[in-house]
């Protein structure tokens, strides 16, 4: 697990001057060759963009930075008095020139990739698989709302408590689901928020506008075969807003949406609310 986290950090962190992502972003407008790990993370991001019809797009980097998320979240100014930026649509994932065989990449000039959410989900998938192989037993890996399982689960599956706000969780009140295979991911706009010019903003950007997605849903939790796909669907639900219910129904994925007023929408066979003590807490972290 430590090896996977170290690898994804040095490869995909926007906040490290020595990361490969920083090198790629600085080279926007020219063609570069990337490493195998970066290529895998980019493929995951492009898959997320394709599966969501562009609702999740790795080219939102400049928009996220313009909002003030230009450093680790713990270092953000909680009340940034600078004026709001001029919002512009993201360049779009289809503008990326990528050759998977040669690992040659060209970003449009003035484009900044943000691989954050998909890379973290990929790290959860990879870490769960590697840990299960190393330990010879079932494992569950939870990376701040991105949860993947591998190996043989305990009887009845892994009990996962889904929190709408991981910063102030109440485990006894969190609905609990059992996960036996695959992954579970939660996206939300309740935790990673800050003030900018008197307006509350968050980190999930709508690629069509360059603005923070409208807070139609506080959290979206989705189950899928991989954490990369669950993460993509959950983030897309936040971006899609009122259109998320129909879109998720078409995917057939189990999902739980929570509106700002506390209304809960369950889709795709998501089970009725149940609570159980001693469950692993997941959700609301991204």
């Amino acid at each position: 697990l430590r090896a996977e986290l170290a690898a994804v950090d040095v490869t995909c962190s926007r906040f490290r001057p020595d990361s490969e992502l920083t090198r790629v972003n600085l080279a926007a407008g020219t063609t570069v060759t990337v490493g195998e790990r970066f290529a895998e993370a980019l493929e995951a991001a492009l898959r997320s963009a394709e599966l969501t019809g562009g609702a999740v797009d790795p080219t939102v980097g400049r928009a996220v930075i313009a909002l003030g998320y230009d450093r680790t979240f713990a270092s953000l100014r909680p009340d940034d008095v600078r004026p709001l930026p001029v919002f512009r649509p993201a360049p779009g994932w289809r503008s990326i020139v990528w050759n998977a065989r040669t690992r040659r990449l060209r970003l449009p000039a003035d484009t900044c990739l943000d691989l954050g959410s998909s890379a973290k989900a990929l790290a959860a998938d990879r870490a769960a698989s590697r840990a299960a192989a190393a330990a010879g037993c079932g494992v569950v890996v939870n990376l701040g709302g991105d949860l993947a399982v591998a190996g043989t689960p305990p009887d009845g599956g892994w009990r996962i408590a889904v929190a709408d706000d991981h910063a102030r969780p109440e485990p006894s009140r969190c609905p609990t689901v059992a996960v036996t295979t695959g992954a579970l991911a939660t996206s939300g706009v309740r935790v990673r928020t800050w003030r900018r010019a008197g307006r509350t903003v968050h980190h999930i950007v709508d690629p069509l506008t360059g603005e923070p997605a409208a807070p139609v849903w506080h959290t979206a939790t989705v189950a899928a075969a991989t954490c990369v796909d669950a993460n993509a669907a959950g983030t897309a639900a936040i971006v899609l807003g009122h259109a998320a219910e129909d879109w998720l129904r078409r995917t057939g994925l189990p999902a739980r949406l929570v509106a700002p007023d506390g209304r809960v929408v369950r889709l795709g066979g998501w089970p009725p609310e149940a609570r159980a003590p001693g469950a692993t807490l997941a959700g609301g972290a991204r």
Side-chain angles (χ1 to χ4, degrees):
L1 176 60
R2 284 192 289 267
E4 286 296 330
L5 293 178
V8 74
D9 190 51
V10 76
T11 303
C12 299
S13 174
R14 283 197 297 113
F15 313 119
R16 290 182 57 152
D18 62 339
S19 75
E20 188 167 9
L21 179 64
T22 296
R23 175 177 71 85
V24 168
N25 284 336
L26 289 173
T30 63
T31 301
V32 296
T33 301
V34 302
E36 291 183 5
R37 187 60 184 259
F38 188 94
E40 186 179 9
L42 178 61
E43 293 277 1
L46 295 176
R47 172 179 170 82
S48 295
E50 184 171 13
L51 290 176
T52 62
V56 180
D57 190 312
T59 65
V60 297
R62 288 216 176 275
V64 176
I65 292 170
L67 284 170
Y69 198 1
D70 55 356
R71 62 204 74 189
T72 62
F73 188 77
S75 302
L76 277 183
R77 309 174 191 180
D79 199 346
D80 192 335
V81 299
R82 292 176 296 170
L84 282 168
V86 176
F87 296 114
R88 294 185 176 88
W93 65 282
R94 294 187 185 278
S95 65
I96 297 172
V97 180
W98 167 240
N99 186 316
R101 183 180 60 81
T102 62
R103 302 202 307 273
R104 298 282 282 170
L105 170 66
R106 183 184 179 95
L107 300 179
D110 203 35
T111 296
C112 182
L113 290 180
D114 183 351
L115 303 180
S117 65
S118 58
K120 182 156 68 75
L122 177 63
D125 284 329
R126 287 178 54 97
S129 178
R130 289 189 62 191
C137 65
V139 301
V140 56
V141 172
N142 179 20
L143 302 182
D146 286 335
L147 184 146
V149 306
T152 303
D155 290 342
W158 298 99
R159 293 182 301 169
I160 309 300
V162 182
D164 297 325
D165 182 349
H166 89 292
R168 293 180 293 275
E170 298 180 63
S172 63
R173 301 181 62 183
C174 294
T176 302
V177 294
V179 178
T180 57
T181 61
L184 196 70
T186 297
S187 292
V189 297
R190 296 187 64 176
V191 178
R192 288 195 178 180
T193 64
W194 61 99
R195 301 278 292 174
R196 179 73 182 267
R199 171 182 168 182
T200 299
V201 296
H202 60 81
H203 69 298
I204 299 181
V205 168
D206 183 344
L208 292 179
T209 64
E211 293 190 60
V216 175
W217 306 108
H218 267 176
T219 57
T221 303
V222 181
T226 68
C227 203
V228 169
D229 287 358
N231 173 290
T235 305
I238 298 294
V239 172
L240 292 171
H242 293 294
E245 291 183 57
D246 286 343
W247 182 81
L248 282 167
R249 285 192 185 96
R250 290 194 296 273
T251 70
L253 296 173
R256 178 180 185 267
L257 307 177
V258 182
D261 62 4
R263 178 173 62 95
V264 176
V265 176
R266 293 185 294 274
L267 304 163
W270 187 277
E273 307 288 56
R275 293 166 178 80
T280 297
L281 185 68
R286 296 203 324 282

CSV table of all heavy atoms in Angstrom, one decimal, residues 14 21-22 24-26 28 57-65 90-91 96 107-115:
chain,number,residue,atom,x,y,z
A,14,ARG,N,-0.4,17.1,-8.5
A,14,ARG,CA,-0.3,18.5,-9.0
A,14,ARG,C,0.5,19.4,-8.1
A,14,ARG,O,0.9,20.5,-8.5
A,14,ARG,CB,-1.7,19.1,-9.1
A,14,ARG,CG,-2.5,18.7,-10.2
A,14,ARG,CD,-3.7,19.6,-10.5
A,14,ARG,NE,-4.6,19.7,-9.4
A,14,ARG,CZ,-4.8,20.8,-8.7
A,14,ARG,NH1,-4.1,21.9,-8.9
A,14,ARG,NH2,-5.7,20.8,-7.7
A,21,LEU,N,3.5,14.5,-13.6
A,21,LEU,CA,2.4,15.4,-14.1
A,21,LEU,C,2.8,16.8,-14.2
A,21,LEU,O,2.4,17.5,-15.2
A,21,LEU,CB,1.2,15.3,-13.1
A,21,LEU,CG,0.0,16.1,-13.4
A,21,LEU,CD1,-0.7,15.7,-14.8
A,21,LEU,CD2,-1.1,16.1,-12.3
A,22,THR,N,3.5,17.3,-13.3
A,22,THR,CA,4.0,18.7,-13.4
A,22,THR,C,4.9,18.9,-14.6
A,22,THR,O,4.8,19.9,-15.4
A,22,THR,CB,4.9,19.1,-12.1
A,22,THR,OG1,4.0,19.0,-11.0
A,22,THR,CG2,5.5,20.5,-12.3
A,24,VAL,N,4.7,17.1,-17.4
A,24,VAL,CA,3.9,17.0,-18.6
A,24,VAL,C,3.1,18.3,-18.8
A,24,VAL,O,3.0,18.9,-19.9
A,24,VAL,CB,2.9,15.8,-18.4
A,24,VAL,CG1,1.8,15.9,-19.5
A,24,VAL,CG2,3.6,14.5,-18.6
A,25,ASN,N,2.6,18.9,-17.7
A,25,ASN,CA,1.8,20.1,-17.8
A,25,ASN,C,2.7,21.3,-18.3
A,25,ASN,O,2.3,22.2,-19.0
A,25,ASN,CB,1.1,20.5,-16.5
A,25,ASN,CG,-0.1,19.6,-16.2
A,25,ASN,OD1,-0.7,19.1,-17.2
A,25,ASN,ND2,-0.5,19.5,-15.0
A,26,LEU,N,3.9,21.3,-17.8
A,26,LEU,CA,4.8,22.4,-18.2
A,26,LEU,C,5.2,22.3,-19.7
A,26,LEU,O,5.5,23.3,-20.3
A,26,LEU,CB,6.1,22.4,-17.4
A,26,LEU,CG,6.0,22.8,-15.9
A,26,LEU,CD1,7.3,22.6,-15.1
A,26,LEU,CD2,5.6,24.3,-15.8
A,28,ALA,N,3.1,21.4,-22.1
A,28,ALA,CA,1.9,21.5,-22.9
A,28,ALA,C,2.2,22.3,-24.2
A,28,ALA,O,2.9,23.3,-24.2
A,28,ALA,CB,0.8,22.2,-22.1
A,57,ASP,N,-13.6,15.1,-16.8
A,57,ASP,CA,-12.6,15.5,-17.9
A,57,ASP,C,-11.3,15.9,-17.3
A,57,ASP,O,-11.2,16.8,-16.4
A,57,ASP,CB,-13.2,16.7,-18.7
A,57,ASP,CG,-12.4,17.0,-20.0
A,57,ASP,OD1,-11.1,17.0,-19.9
A,57,ASP,OD2,-13.0,17.1,-21.0
A,58,PRO,N,-10.2,15.3,-17.6
A,58,PRO,CA,-8.9,15.6,-17.0
A,58,PRO,C,-8.3,16.9,-17.4
A,58,PRO,O,-7.3,17.3,-16.8
A,58,PRO,CB,-8.0,14.4,-17.5
A,58,PRO,CG,-8.5,14.0,-18.8
A,58,PRO,CD,-10.0,14.2,-18.6
A,59,THR,N,-8.9,17.6,-18.4
A,59,THR,CA,-8.3,18.9,-18.8
A,59,THR,C,-8.9,20.1,-18.0
A,59,THR,O,-8.8,21.2,-18.4
A,59,THR,CB,-8.6,19.2,-20.3
A,59,THR,OG1,-10.0,19.3,-20.5
A,59,THR,CG2,-8.0,18.1,-21.1
A,60,VAL,N,-9.5,19.8,-16.8
A,60,VAL,CA,-10.1,20.9,-16.0
A,60,VAL,C,-9.0,21.5,-15.1
A,60,VAL,O,-9.3,22.3,-14.2
A,60,VAL,CB,-11.2,20.4,-15.1
A,60,VAL,CG1,-12.4,20.0,-16.0
A,60,VAL,CG2,-10.8,19.3,-14.2
A,61,GLY,N,-7.7,21.1,-15.2
A,61,GLY,CA,-6.7,21.5,-14.3
A,61,GLY,C,-6.6,23.0,-14.1
A,61,GLY,O,-6.5,23.5,-13.0
A,62,ARG,N,-6.6,23.8,-15.2
A,62,ARG,CA,-6.5,25.2,-15.0
A,62,ARG,C,-7.7,25.9,-14.3
A,62,ARG,O,-7.5,26.8,-13.6
A,62,ARG,CB,-6.3,25.9,-16.4
A,62,ARG,CG,-4.9,25.6,-17.0
A,62,ARG,CD,-4.4,26.8,-17.8
A,62,ARG,NE,-3.0,26.5,-18.3
A,62,ARG,CZ,-1.9,26.7,-17.6
A,62,ARG,NH1,-2.0,27.2,-16.3
A,62,ARG,NH2,-0.7,26.4,-18.1
A,63,ALA,N,-8.9,25.3,-14.6
A,63,ALA,CA,-10.0,25.8,-13.9
A,63,ALA,C,-10.0,25.6,-12.4
A,63,ALA,O,-10.3,26.5,-11.6
A,63,ALA,CB,-11.3,25.2,-14.5
A,64,VAL,N,-9.5,24.4,-12.0
A,64,VAL,CA,-9.4,24.1,-10.6
A,64,VAL,C,-8.3,25.0,-9.9
A,64,VAL,O,-8.5,25.5,-8.8
A,64,VAL,CB,-9.0,22.6,-10.4
A,64,VAL,CG1,-8.8,22.3,-8.9
A,64,VAL,CG2,-10.1,21.7,-10.9
A,65,ILE,N,-7.2,25.2,-10.6
A,65,ILE,CA,-6.2,26.1,-10.1
A,65,ILE,C,-6.7,27.5,-10.0
A,65,ILE,O,-6.4,28.2,-9.0
A,65,ILE,CB,-4.9,26.0,-11.0
A,65,ILE,CG1,-4.3,24.6,-10.9
A,65,ILE,CG2,-3.9,27.1,-10.6
A,65,ILE,CD1,-3.2,24.4,-11.9
A,90,ALA,N,-13.4,23.9,-20.1
A,90,ALA,CA,-12.1,23.1,-20.2
A,90,ALA,C,-11.8,22.8,-21.7
A,90,ALA,O,-12.7,22.7,-22.5
A,90,ALA,CB,-12.2,21.8,-19.5
A,91,PRO,N,-10.5,22.7,-22.1
A,91,PRO,CA,-10.2,22.4,-23.5
A,91,PRO,C,-10.8,21.1,-24.0
A,91,PRO,O,-11.1,21.0,-25.2
A,91,PRO,CB,-8.6,22.2,-23.4
A,91,PRO,CG,-8.2,23.1,-22.2
A,91,PRO,CD,-9.3,22.9,-21.2
A,96,ILE,N,-6.7,16.0,-26.4
A,96,ILE,CA,-5.4,15.4,-26.1
A,96,ILE,C,-5.0,14.5,-27.2
A,96,ILE,O,-5.8,13.6,-27.7
A,96,ILE,CB,-5.6,14.6,-24.8
A,96,ILE,CG1,-5.9,15.6,-23.6
A,96,ILE,CG2,-4.3,13.8,-24.4
A,96,ILE,CD1,-6.3,14.8,-22.3
A,107,LEU,N,-0.4,17.7,-25.2
A,107,LEU,CA,-1.5,18.5,-24.7
A,107,LEU,C,-1.6,19.8,-25.5
A,107,LEU,O,-0.6,20.3,-25.9
A,107,LEU,CB,-1.3,18.9,-23.2
A,107,LEU,CG,-1.1,17.7,-22.2
A,107,LEU,CD1,-0.9,18.3,-20.8
A,107,LEU,CD2,-2.4,16.8,-22.2
A,108,PRO,N,-2.8,20.3,-25.7
A,108,PRO,CA,-2.9,21.6,-26.3
A,108,PRO,C,-2.2,22.7,-25.4
A,108,PRO,O,-2.1,22.5,-24.2
A,108,PRO,CB,-4.4,21.9,-26.3
A,108,PRO,CG,-5.1,20.5,-26.2
A,108,PRO,CD,-4.1,19.7,-25.3
A,109,ALA,N,-1.6,23.7,-26.1
A,109,ALA,CA,-1.0,24.7,-25.3
A,109,ALA,C,-1.9,25.3,-24.3
A,109,ALA,O,-3.1,25.4,-24.5
A,109,ALA,CB,-0.5,25.8,-26.3
A,110,ASP,N,-1.3,25.7,-23.1
A,110,ASP,CA,-2.0,26.3,-22.1
A,110,ASP,C,-3.1,25.4,-21.4
A,110,ASP,O,-4.1,25.8,-20.9
A,110,ASP,CB,-2.7,27.6,-22.5
A,110,ASP,CG,-3.0,28.5,-21.4
A,110,ASP,OD1,-2.2,28.6,-20.4
A,110,ASP,OD2,-4.0,29.2,-21.4
A,111,THR,N,-2.8,24.0,-21.5
A,111,THR,CA,-3.7,23.1,-20.9
A,111,THR,C,-3.0,22.4,-19.7
A,111,THR,O,-1.8,22.2,-19.8
A,111,THR,CB,-4.1,22.0,-21.9
A,111,THR,OG1,-4.9,22.5,-23.0
A,111,THR,CG2,-4.9,20.9,-21.3
A,112,CYS,N,-3.8,22.2,-18.7
A,112,CYS,CA,-3.2,21.6,-17.5
A,112,CYS,C,-4.1,20.4,-17.1
A,112,CYS,O,-5.3,20.5,-16.9
A,112,CYS,CB,-3.2,22.6,-16.3
A,112,CYS,SG,-2.5,22.0,-14.8
A,113,LEU,N,-3.4,19.2,-17.1
A,113,LEU,CA,-4.2,18.0,-16.7
A,113,LEU,C,-4.3,18.0,-15.1
A,113,LEU,O,-3.4,18.4,-14.4
A,113,LEU,CB,-3.4,16.8,-17.1
A,113,LEU,CG,-3.3,16.4,-18.6
A,113,LEU,CD1,-2.5,15.1,-18.8
A,113,LEU,CD2,-4.7,16.3,-19.2
A,114,ASP,N,-5.5,17.4,-14.7
A,114,ASP,CA,-5.7,17.1,-13.3
A,114,ASP,C,-6.2,15.7,-13.3
A,114,ASP,O,-7.3,15.4,-13.7
A,114,ASP,CB,-6.7,18.0,-12.7
A,114,ASP,CG,-7.0,17.8,-11.2
A,114,ASP,OD1,-6.4,16.8,-10.7
A,114,ASP,OD2,-7.7,18.6,-10.6
A,115,LEU,N,-5.3,14.8,-12.8
A,115,LEU,CA,-5.6,13.3,-12.8
A,115,LEU,C,-6.0,12.9,-11.4
A,115,LEU,O,-6.2,11.7,-11.2
A,115,LEU,CB,-4.4,12.5,-13.2
A,115,LEU,CG,-3.8,12.8,-14.6
A,115,LEU,CD1,-2.6,12.0,-14.9
A,115,LEU,CD2,-4.8,12.6,-15.7
